[in-house]
Amino acid sequence: MIDKIIVGSEEWCSLSDLKVPAIKVRVDSGAKTSALHAENITPFEKNGEKWVKFVIHPIQRNVKSAINCEAKIIDKRVVKSSTGTRESRFVINTEITLGEQSWVIELTLTNRDSMGFRMLLGREAMTGRIIVDPDEHFKLGSVTPEKLKEYYNTGNSNDKKGLRIGLLASNPELYSNKRIIEAGELRGHEMHFLNIKHCYMKLDADHPEIHYRGGRILNDFDAVIPRIRPSMTYYGCSLIRHFESLKVYSLNNAASITQSRDKLYSLQMLLNHGVDIPTTGFANSPLDTNDLINMVGGSPLIIKLLEGTQGKGVVLAETKKAAESVINAFKSVNANILVQEFIKEANGKDLRLFVVDGKVVAAMQREALPGEFRANIHLGGKASIVKVTAEEKKIAIKATKALNLKVAGVDIIRSSKGPLLLEVNSSPGLEGIEGATGKDIAGEMIKAIEKNFKWLNL
């Protein structure tokens, strides 16, 4: 029979399988499952089995002490948090040591930055082993700050082996975001996923700061990589400007992203830099619809919402009457639109050239599904490797320089007049183009940051 140990509502424990010598844990019999704070959670296969790798920051509000971990996945479960939120989490087994006793428990992996403890011990892990005295704290002993420094080298700034890079985005599960994190770690850098919605800023003449949910201060990053979805452009660019004011390098700066998201303004800038585009019209009043249609060569024509992305908000009007109906419908709800000539000879194909730091690092051809005119991968378009011409490369590089972007996806269409630029995307996806070309584009993005810092890996 196992002797039960009496513990307080908070204790220090160790996780030997994960090489965590000390971590503060909240002991909560009201919670069913146990949870561990983990970042950069990435599943992978090892010897035919499902494993997961992740990063632990065992000390609250200290991201310099980082432990890279791997563990076999035993399950994936939907867990309801204390706030009522349901989340799908990976479950692992690991040995825990509390006081003089050690046993194996199940742990779910999740982001606990907004919580007061990096680890939660639930009742399933306590059954038959623990009695909780909620009035007690650290009944089994405390870990001193000196001991923590010994464990984690928290006081030695010379241990830094790579740059500290934040990925500023919304969804850690997206292929592109996972690849960027992976590429940075492979090149020896400390990578952190920063959810845009969890960041907030302090504007102060003497001590400006950026905070992360839970109170963590983000002022000590070397660089950030913005991956901002269109709906978060205003807030995301505000954050980037604040990072820039703190002398944090941003791979694409806030001003460049802002102007690239304004389709009309970016096309005007591109024309001013000698980049050819399809004939385009823009008007404010429905009274000008007829002339607007005529100025782009009549029907069929393309109608685009200025705020659209990934092919959304793009309509092909095959007749003049259809064009008038769509344009007037958009105008009736005060939507800003562009009308653009339809390049019939492209046959539903366009090119995506990926530019990093002034060089075309990869290119693919996108082909629309039968009956569809939009070639976007998100809409089911097929990606294939393609040989682009010197002129097409020149257009892509000129376009990114015109908008002052370090990273961009440049969309070009082949017409009877020659290659024409369709759009420049400041947060281009990686999945389609890496899959089609086999190129390590995420690695090229990390190299561009290293080049800015004259890093040795370069």
Side-chain angles (χ1 to χ4, degrees), residues 206-362:
D206 298 319
H207 303 289
E209 293 175 342
I210 295 180
H211 287 233
Y212 202 67
R213 186 170 292 174
R216 175 176 139 205
I217 298 175
L218 304 178
N219 290 23
D220 54 349
F221 278 85
D222 296 301
V224 290
I225 301 173
R227 301 280 306 173
I228 299 171
R229 59 175 56 170
S231 62
M232 293 296 293
T233 299
Y234 180 80
Y235 190 67
C237 286
S238 299
L239 281 171
I240 296 167
R241 280 194 297 273
H242 212 58
F243 272 116
E244 290 169 347
S245 73
L246 295 166
K247 309 303 179 189
V248 177
Y249 175 72
S250 181
L251 190 54
N252 276 340
N253 64 53
S256 301
I257 295 169
T258 301
Q259 63 193 17
S260 74
R261 291 284 166 85
D262 186 330
K263 288 184 181 178
L264 179 62
Y265 180 47
S266 61
L267 289 178
Q268 290 171 323
M269 288 189 70
L270 293 166
L271 286 171
N272 289 338
H273 284 78
V275 178
D276 289 332
I277 65 170
T279 303
T280 303
F282 178 70
N284 178 257
S285 171
L287 297 175
D288 302 314
T289 297
N290 189 56
D291 194 33
L292 193 65
I293 292 171
N294 291 334
M295 74 167 58
V296 299
S299 60
L301 57 84
I302 301 295
I303 302 166
K304 292 183 177 181
L305 276 173
L306 283 185
E307 294 80 14
T309 184
Q310 295 179 347
K312 298 167 188 172
V314 181
V315 178
L316 171 62
E318 300 198 38
T319 66
K320 185 176 181 181
K321 188 172 182 181
E324 288 172 346
S325 298
V326 174
I327 292 169
N328 292 333
F330 278 137
K331 287 296 180 186
S332 70
V333 292
N334 297 317
N336 289 315
I337 59 166
L338 297 174
V339 297
Q340 207 166 62
E341 68 172 312
F342 177 58
I343 310 299
K344 186 177 180 181
E345 59 269 28
N347 293 318
K349 299 175 184 176
D350 68 16
L351 307 176
R352 164 60 65 90
L353 282 71
F354 209 107
V355 180
V356 179
D357 200 20
K359 288 188 275 189
V360 176
V361 297

Side-chain angles (χ1 to χ4, degrees), residues 139-183:
K139 191 171 179 62
L140 301 179
S142 293
V143 179
T144 65
E146 291 73 25
K147 200 68 178 175
L148 285 176
K149 285 183 181 180
E150 180 186 326
Y151 287 150
Y152 299 119
N153 287 320
T154 56
N156 190 350
S157 61
N158 295 323
D159 287 341
K160 185 177 179 182
K161 295 179 181 178
L163 296 169
R164 193 152 178 266
I165 302 171
L167 176 59
L168 198 59
S170 298
N171 184 356
E173 299 304 315
L174 284 184
Y175 173 91
S176 300
N177 296 336
K178 287 182 175 181
R179 279 288 296 118
I180 291 167
I181 293 287
E182 178 186 66

Side-chain angles (χ1 to χ4, degrees), residues 78-95:
V78 174
V79 178
K80 187 177 179 180
S81 71
S82 58
T83 60
T85 305
R86 293 184 177 275
E87 179 189 29
S88 180
R89 300 180 187 173
F90 290 112
V91 185
I92 64 169
N93 277 338
T94 191
E95 186 177 72

